Amino acid sequence: MRFSLGQKIGSGFAVALLALSVSGVVSYRSTTNLLAHSQWVDHTHEVLRNVRSLLTSVLDAEIGARGYYLTREDSNLETYRAAKEQIPATVRTIRALITDPSQQRRLDVLEPLLSEKLAMTKEIVELRREQSLATFIRLVQAQQPVMQQIRNAISEMKKEELGLLAQREEEAKASGKTAIAIIILASGLAMLLVSLSSFVIRREMLKRQRAEEMQRAEGEELERRSTKLEAA
């Protein structure tokens, strides 16, 4: 079955259009995967920022309470109060962000320790009225193992998130390379098909032009022969 020139042209562009459509869909999916992995990387950074902020707030509460007892300066009391308010808010933020069950369990262990720590710092602040150095020293010493447990729990959470971050960054890089490779490959394939279609079209047009020239030449030859016969 022979196709007309118009059918060949239409078929060529249909194939090229199909290739472009497929490459567009594949490129879109690759880009979507890249964005998803990038969002997870940003999410992990957000968790790490809040975990670090939590430890900073705990230290601020401790320093503020001790400083207030030792100096009686209101600035230390404000530092303590701000940290005391910030700690529960940061814990809620972290709990909303983390999805890993092991991290949720670590946070379950950490929360009671934080409550115990805040209760101890509150006792130090209230010692201002008693001015009992012996009680102050006892409370400071009692806080040390609790603070160490808090540091350990936060350190484990940070270690887990850093591991997830490394994994997600690798996945994001791999998705980026895949997306770029697919886009380049799809674009190259589309250009190849368009070039091939153009080549086929031009070849068909040249064949048609040659056929027309041959037909015209044959017609002219027949006309010359007819003229000679008539002249004879």
Side-chain angles (χ1 to χ4, degrees), residues 47 50-51 54 89-98 107 157:
V47 174
N50 279 277
V51 170
L54 180 60
T90 304
V91 169
R92 288 192 297 269
T93 300
I94 294 172
R95 190 171 290 281
L97 286 171
I98 57 178
L107 193 58
M157 293 185 71

Side-chain angles (χ1 to χ4, degrees), residues 40-55:
W40 273 114
V41 169
D42 293 340
H43 175 273
T44 308
H45 278 297
E46 182 67 17
V47 174
L48 283 169
R49 278 194 294 270
N50 279 277
V51 170
R52 293 187 185 107
S53 175
L54 180 60
L55 180 58

